[in-house]
Amino acid sequence: MKNIFSRRVFLQSSAISTFLMGLKSNSVAASNLEMETKLTFLFQGDSITDGNRGRNTDPNHIMGHGYAYGVASRIGADFPEAGFTFYNRGISGNRIPDLQKRWKEETLDLKPDVLSLLIGINDVNALIRKPEEAPNLEQFEIGYRDLLDQCKQNNPDILFVLGIPFVYAIKGRKDNWDIWQKETNARAEVVKKLAKEYDAVLIDYPSMFEKAFKNAPDEYWVWDGIHPTVFGHELMAREWIKAVSKRLKFLKKYKY
């Protein structure tokens, strides 16, 4: 009797354990599913992100015509059941101080789950045009860090996607090229540093373009040294999805 009772208890315990493990597994699966549905993606930055976007709710123009549009249109079309929301709040000419002024209304209030940020080239431009008024490298880092900290306070689980700024000696950028290159590279290093500190996805746009330059002239991809062409933006969209797929599993559908 003792052996029969022990076996019965063992079987009952095993069944309960299996049931509980099943519940736990379903719970984890549901949690993972929840993490990758109904996400809000926000693209922030300067003219490269702006892409001449609309300033109203017209869905035909709201994402602009740059890489942000490329990412949103692709993901939105391929995963309509996920309930994703996409915003583009890039503004041409913006620097870190400009983002700080509008950060609450155009970032925090939108409650992004994924914040994509590409900024820095106008900070360099300001340094070249009016060096006495432009924020220096240290101030650039302090301001950038402030933006990220505010987001973390607002949503501790936010995923940052930080783009490395880029510039090339094309057209007007040939003037003062040494300064353009030095200061842009310095800000690129800041972005790399912050990406590590904030566990962000880092998108190496400069390396991406350098590879592309081997297949076609520089101007084919970045027409004025700063702003990508249609083809350049397409490369950026692909690179964005490729990099972010390391953190968002559903993006592994794409093979780049």
Side-chain angles (χ1 to χ4, degrees), residues 184-238:
T184 302
N185 288 343
R187 280 152 186 77
E189 291 304 314
V190 169
V191 175
K192 293 177 186 178
K193 172 184 175 182
L194 294 176
K196 289 183 179 180
E197 289 186 25
Y198 288 83
D199 191 27
V201 174
L202 180 68
I203 306 189
D204 193 345
Y205 292 124
S207 292
M208 177 203 75
F209 278 121
E210 290 294 339
K211 292 178 183 177
F213 292 164
K214 297 177 182 179
N215 300 318
D218 299 3
E219 293 88 344
Y220 183 85
W221 306 106
V222 186
W223 70 274
D224 65 349
I226 291 178
H227 300 94
T229 61
V230 172
F231 320 117
H233 276 289
E234 172 62 17
L235 289 185
M236 291 178 69
R238 295 180 189 180

Side-chain angles (χ1 to χ4, degrees), residues 6-255:
S6 298
R7 176 176 170 75
R8 183 179 301 157
V9 171
F10 172 76
L11 291 173
Q12 290 175 340
S13 298
S14 297
I16 292 172
S17 296
T18 301
F19 176 72
L20 290 176
M21 287 178 65
L23 284 180
K24 183 177 181 181
S25 177
N26 289 337
S27 176
V28 171
S31 176
N32 288 340
L33 181 62
E34 183 63 25
M35 285 174 60
E36 297 197 350
T37 60
K38 301 186 184 305
L39 295 174
T40 295
F41 295 80
L42 171 60
F43 294 85
Q44 270 287 13
D46 49 40
S47 58
I48 301 172
T49 301
D50 185 329
N52 199 31
R53 66 178 175 84
R55 261 51 175 181
N56 53 37
T57 57
D58 178 355
N60 193 40
H61 304 287
I62 200 164
M63 291 303 296
H65 57 232
Y67 75 96
Y69 169 84
V71 172
S73 61
R74 199 161 307 167
I75 295 176
D78 290 339
F79 303 94
E81 71 285 351
F84 295 142
T85 301
F86 299 89
Y87 294 106
N88 182 351
R89 289 297 183 270
I91 294 182
S92 181
N94 264 200
R95 302 168 300 145
I96 286 289
D98 300 307
L99 291 182
Q100 287 179 292
K101 293 175 183 177
R102 62 186 182 88
W103 204 239
K104 181 183 183 304
E105 294 77 11
E106 298 198 345
T107 297
L108 303 181
D109 288 354
L110 296 178
K111 302 184 184 304
D113 298 293
V114 180
L115 172 66
S116 179
L117 178 57
L118 175 59
I119 197 73
I121 200 63
N122 287 309
D123 298 82
V124 176
N125 187 38
L127 191 66
I128 292 173
R129 291 179 177 236
K130 295 184 178 180
E132 68 283 355
E133 299 178 11
N136 58 32
L137 185 62
E138 181 181 3
Q139 291 170 319
F140 175 83
E141 179 175 342
I142 291 173
Y144 204 127
R145 189 183 298 277
D146 174 53
L147 300 178
L148 301 182
D149 283 340
Q150 289 185 56
C151 288
K152 273 291 186 182
Q153 292 170 6
N154 204 46
N155 176 10
D157 297 321
I158 191 170
L159 174 62
F160 294 123
V161 181
L162 307 184
I164 298 177
F166 51 86
V167 67
Y168 300 100
I170 302 172
K171 295 187 177 181
R173 252 42 65 185
K174 292 179 180 178
D175 299 331
N176 301 304
W177 173 241
D178 289 343
I179 301 176
W180 275 111
Q181 186 177 45
K182 175 185 175 182
E183 295 298 335
T184 302
N185 288 343
R187 280 152 186 77
E189 291 304 314
V190 169
V191 175
K192 293 177 186 178
K193 172 184 175 182
L194 294 176
K196 289 183 179 180
E197 289 186 25
Y198 288 83
D199 191 27
V201 174
L202 180 68
I203 306 189
D204 193 345
Y205 292 124
S207 292
M208 177 203 75
F209 278 121
E210 290 294 339
K211 292 178 183 177
F213 292 164
K214 297 177 182 179
N215 300 318
D218 299 3
E219 293 88 344
Y220 183 85
W221 306 106
V222 186
W223 70 274
D224 65 349
I226 291 178
H227 300 94
T229 61
V230 172
F231 320 117
H233 276 289
E234 172 62 17
L235 289 185
M236 291 178 69
R238 295 180 189 180
E239 192 70 15
W240 194 100
I241 291 174
K242 178 181 177 181
V244 179
S245 69
K246 296 175 183 178
R247 299 290 288 274
L248 296 180
K249 295 179 181 178
F250 76 91
L251 289 177
K252 293 186 180 298
K253 166 180 178 173
Y254 300 100
K255 305 294 183 183

